Amino acid sequence: MTSVLLKASKKRCPFLLSSFYATPGESSSMPSTKEINLQRSVEETWEPIGSDEIRKIDAYWRACNYLCAGMIYLRDNPLLKTVLRPEHFKNRLLGHWGSDPGQTFTWVHLNRAIRKHALNMIYISGPGHGAPAVISNAYLEGTYSEIYPEVSQDEEGMRNLFRAFSFPGHLGSHCTPEVPGSIHEGGELGYSLSHAFGAAFDNPDLIVSVVVGDGEAETGPMATSWHSNKFLNPVRDGAVLPILHLNGYKIANPTILARISAEELDSLFRGYGWTPYSVEGDDPQLMHKQMAQTVEQCIQDIHSIQRKARSDGSPERPRWPMIILRTPKGWTGPKEVGGHKVEGSWRAHQVPVPEVQTNPDHARILEQWMRSYKPEELFDENGTLRPELKEIAPRNGLRMSANPHANGGRLRQPLAMPDFRDYAIRVEKPGAQEVSPTEILAHFLRDVMRRNMNNFRVFSPDENASNKLEAIYAASKKTWLASFKPEDSDGGEIARDGRVMEMLSEHTLEGWFEGYVLTGRHGFFSSYEAFVHIIDSMFNQHAKWLEKSKLELGWRAPIPSINLLITSVVWRQDHNGFSHQDPGFLDLVTNKSANVTRIYLPPDANCLLSVVDHCLRSVDYVNVIVADKQPHLTYLDMKAAITHCTKGIGIWEWASNDDGGEPDVVMTSAGDIATMECLAAVALLRECFSDLKIRFVNVVDLFRLQPGSEHPHGLSDRDFDTLFTKNKPVIFNFHGYPTLIHKLAYRRANHENLHVHGYREKGNINTPLELAIRNQVDRFSLAIDVIDRVPRLGTRGAHEKERLKNQIVESINYAYAEGIDSPQIREWKWPS
Ligand SMILES: Cc1ncc(C[n+]2csc(CCOP(=O)(O)OP(=O)(O)O)c2C)c(N)n1
């Protein structure tokens, strides 16, 4: 496949393949023969767009642009029925103009293709700060008024729209969840393309158009997501049509991609496996022809790729089309303000004429600018879009602003679930037998996959095998549409029709996953604990989206939850060492709304099964599950596991000896490894002090620790005090950073007696016990802490304390001499 490079400017004829991007500093010149040979024109198949259609498309586009400007500036006089006066302006001018006209231009041309081919298409706005472009279209298509009736399609409604935009208590200035047709806010740049692919997976009839900002294209997540085309299967997936919007500037700088030569740019996207088509210019009339022609070509390419793949059933990796759209930033806006170039410069990024309230010249420029769109030709006296323009937009479900995929919960089908109890481990005695929890889970996930081969995917950054989840490959291999080698058949587990998504980019995977759930499908993501931090920010953004959608927007249907398994945990990084030790993602999660966040630390394999079953059935949450992949002791049979996980926190009677009396100390754990060490400490203490009354509490659902007023899962104070007492020492062994437990429990009556052990950022290449010792989450340190905190053991326990300290020294020496922990540590079992 080859590219088409066309430029539409007043100076040159767009249909001559003679215009190329000038290398910076040079003027455009005729291409070399070689360059011409690289190109193929769509003219062969092109049925030229008629002048009447161009006139209407242009008018529709002007209507969009008029609305965009109105949203930024006006609170009254929306149809410019009188000269603009100071009282018509908003007091505070907010919003972004620069991105809007290129995006509205794209939208109206996609509309043309949708109508022509009855396309099922959604639109993702990478530079979501260009929200006026999306909102104006949603408004003109009627969707906005259907959801927000006060924003009616008349003068009053237009006034309300302008007032609502970027106004306190109203609409944000990004493509926030409030915006119909949006599944991507675009506030934090970089994720639009991966979201687009996530939406396209398993949606064979859907085309996801996605505008990528040229600034956005400089971000790390965007850079890696161009590779998503190696994971899109044209037989069973939809298509993604990226439109790279080269408007040349970011907030205050030129963009890199707009300042490299045409050849470099073309090579870059070819190198990523795309077929780039370029549209370039500033003359609207010529640009409409070019864009219509190019969009048509892209749709034809997409259809022919899909036809071919679907007829022969064995997809080769196609070179999907993409558009490189080069237009001036702030196109059609004021050319110059106060002697400074505005259109085609970074000055167009936000509010291009900044002082309309105080500077009459600025007010005049704004009025001229808005009148240049000729609103009287676009809207009737009542402010309603004229019928001949309305008719060029798609209708009903074909409107991108009303496409059900953009409100994916409406399409959500619950997963067909196997019975998780069928995967249970038999537990005859607590703490006697070891299994890898994730290995057990893998069989369950495999069967979830088998039953849901159209709406469930598993995501991991090259780690499913490492995380001992490889049993899922029996249901489906890893998606792979790049080339194959003979050795791949020997355990490579890759296939063109695979459904397990593995690529070494946490960003791209999380973006795919979010796009997938936002369009109503389900998934499961596993990551090494330390590196889940790479998607911290994506988690933040998704949690914000969920919070808004769930609490404030009744029209958005619930979507499946994001399920994140954090494994390869901090405590078992024997050869990876310090860089792989970071349990801090949990701290981040607790910053987000209690309405959408859940954290589970199942202590063993059966609890993990129960938790994952629960999470896969849930909606509108981010569920974070922490479970290690190494063999660990099992404690609860399935019945007990279900009861324990349902309660989320509880006393383990078999590990306690305070029944019927008051405990001297409450030993508490959260996390699999933390639980084992805590139980081992209990066993040591019981050996040393037969009369010591110990209560053992395990926490699965971390938010049980917070008061009910703070989190819906929070325990009442009464329940908390019953479990933890109001005055006895509580020794809490925690999987993560100790401060998190204090943060959650600081309001509890017994907080001053809560002593939390957890990761203290002390790590290296360690044996498991030696690492635990360095961070004082080991059995000996915990037992010593109990001796220190239980007053009656203070002096009585002196000898025991010495012996425990000796064991610490001996354990470290053993680890340093042998490179492993001693057999009695490695083979420790709960004493029956
Ligand atoms: C990850 C991230 N970094 C920084 C910003 C701040 N920011 C907002 S808009 C913008 C420039 C965007 O340029 P581009 O993607 O080209 O969009 P457009 O030119 O269409 O406005 C920046 C840096 C952001 N929103 N997200």
Side-chain angles (χ1 to χ4, degrees), residues 357-598:
Q357 304 102 327
T358 52
N359 182 335
D361 280 346
H362 282 208
R364 233 180 341 265
I365 292 172
L366 172 65
E367 181 153 350
Q368 274 169 7
W369 167 26
M370 290 193 70
R371 287 196 190 281
S372 75
Y373 297 121
K374 303 197 173 80
E376 63 288 352
E377 289 179 10
L378 314 172
F379 303 99
D380 66 16
E381 266 294 293
N382 298 324
T384 306
L385 187 69
R386 295 199 182 269
E388 70 156 4
L389 301 184
K390 200 166 181 60
E391 76 184 12
I392 69 165
R395 306 249 158 79
N396 304 322
L398 290 188
R399 294 172 294 176
M400 290 194 283
S401 57
N403 189 303
H405 292 281
N407 185 3
R410 278 171 58 193
L411 303 175
R412 175 178 61 94
Q413 298 290 330
L415 287 171
M417 296 289 282
D419 189 339
F420 68 98
R421 297 171 193 84
D422 294 344
Y423 305 83
I425 292 296
R426 269 173 73 93
V427 178
E428 316 237 317
K429 285 193 300 183
Q433 176 201 0
E434 283 192 338
V435 295
S436 155
T438 54
E439 212 172 309
I440 301 302
L441 174 67
H443 296 106
F444 177 54
L445 288 177
R446 175 200 63 204
D447 292 349
V448 175
M449 176 75 91
R450 278 189 177 138
R451 286 167 191 238
N452 300 278
M453 291 297 271
N454 293 316
N455 65 343
F456 178 69
R457 297 228 183 184
V458 171
F459 303 84
S460 184
D462 184 34
E463 292 165 5
N464 277 314
S466 169
N467 292 335
K468 298 198 192 304
L469 293 170
E470 64 263 56
I472 51 173
Y473 302 143
S476 180
K477 308 278 183 223
K478 292 169 273 185
T479 312
W480 189 260
L481 281 100
S483 65
F484 285 76
K485 293 194 164 192
E487 58 268 31
D488 296 332
S489 57
D490 180 19
E493 307 284 8
I494 55 176
R496 290 194 171 93
D497 63 355
R499 308 184 49 73
V500 178
M501 311 305 292
E502 294 200 26
M503 172 182 171
L504 214 178
S505 166
E506 284 80 0
H507 287 122
T508 301
L509 288 157
E510 174 65 14
W512 290 346
F513 189 6
E514 289 175 4
Y516 202 62
V517 298
L518 284 160
T519 46
R521 288 78 56 70
H522 309 256
F524 190 87
F525 186 123
S526 80
S527 171
Y528 283 9
E529 182 169 49
F531 307 137
V532 72
H533 273 303
I534 290 166
I535 56 159
D536 277 5
S537 219
M538 297 183 80
F539 155 77
N540 283 341
Q541 298 301 323
H542 188 74
K544 286 171 192 284
W545 178 281
L546 281 182
E547 155 91 356
K548 276 264 168 215
S549 311
K550 187 173 177 174
L551 296 194
E552 295 174 23
L553 304 172
W555 59 273
R556 283 218 179 251
I559 57 170
S561 300
I562 289 281
N563 302 301
L564 290 177
L565 173 71
I566 292 184
T567 184
S568 296
V569 300
V570 46
W571 303 111
R572 288 291 183 277
Q573 293 299 337
D574 309 355
H575 66 284
N576 288 316
F578 200 31
S579 64
H580 285 52
Q581 296 166 356
D582 197 308
F585 189 72
L586 303 185
D587 299 63
L588 180 84
V589 174
T590 61
N591 292 337
K592 286 289 157 293
S593 163
N595 294 303
V596 300
T597 47
R598 302 289 181 266

Side-chain angles (χ1 to χ4, degrees), residues 711-772:
H711 196 286
H713 285 196
L715 281 185
S716 67
D717 279 340
R718 217 174 268 181
D719 281 350
F720 192 93
D721 293 346
T722 312
L723 278 179
F724 291 104
T725 78
K726 280 191 168 175
N727 52 8
K728 300 293 178 198
V730 178
I731 308 298
F732 196 126
N733 210 28
F734 179 45
H735 170 87
Y737 289 105
T739 48
L740 178 55
I741 300 300
H742 289 296
K743 170 176 155 180
L744 297 177
Y746 81 98
R747 283 195 183 164
R748 302 297 191 173
N750 200 21
H751 183 246
E752 68 176 301
N753 286 315
L754 180 61
H755 308 287
V756 186
H757 295 233
Y759 188 62
R760 293 168 174 229
E761 208 61 22
K762 302 263 183 243
N764 202 328
I765 300 299
N766 309 101
T767 66
L769 183 68
E770 185 220 345
L771 178 65

Side-chain angles (χ1 to χ4, degrees), residues 99 127 129 187-189 213-216 247 249-251 329 349:
S99 191
H129 48 270
E188 186 168 295
L189 299 165
D214 48 357
E216 184 192 15
N247 62 18
Y249 293 89
K250 303 177 290 251
I251 297 177
K329 189 151 186 163
H349 183 68

Side-chain angles (χ1 to χ4, degrees), residues 60-109:
Y60 199 101
W61 179 48
R62 283 189 278 126
C64 295
N65 293 341
Y66 179 81
L67 293 173
C68 292
M71 277 184 250
I72 295 170
Y73 285 98
L74 301 186
R75 62 172 169 170
D76 210 347
N77 192 14
L79 290 168
L80 298 187
K81 285 188 172 165
T82 64
V83 170
L84 280 176
R85 292 193 300 272
E87 65 269 26
H88 301 148
F89 302 129
K90 292 183 179 180
N91 290 322
R92 192 147 183 242
L93 304 178
L94 295 169
H96 296 76
W97 162 248
S99 191
D100 300 348
Q103 291 204 55
T104 50
F105 180 78
T106 303
W107 188 296
V108 296
H109 279 277

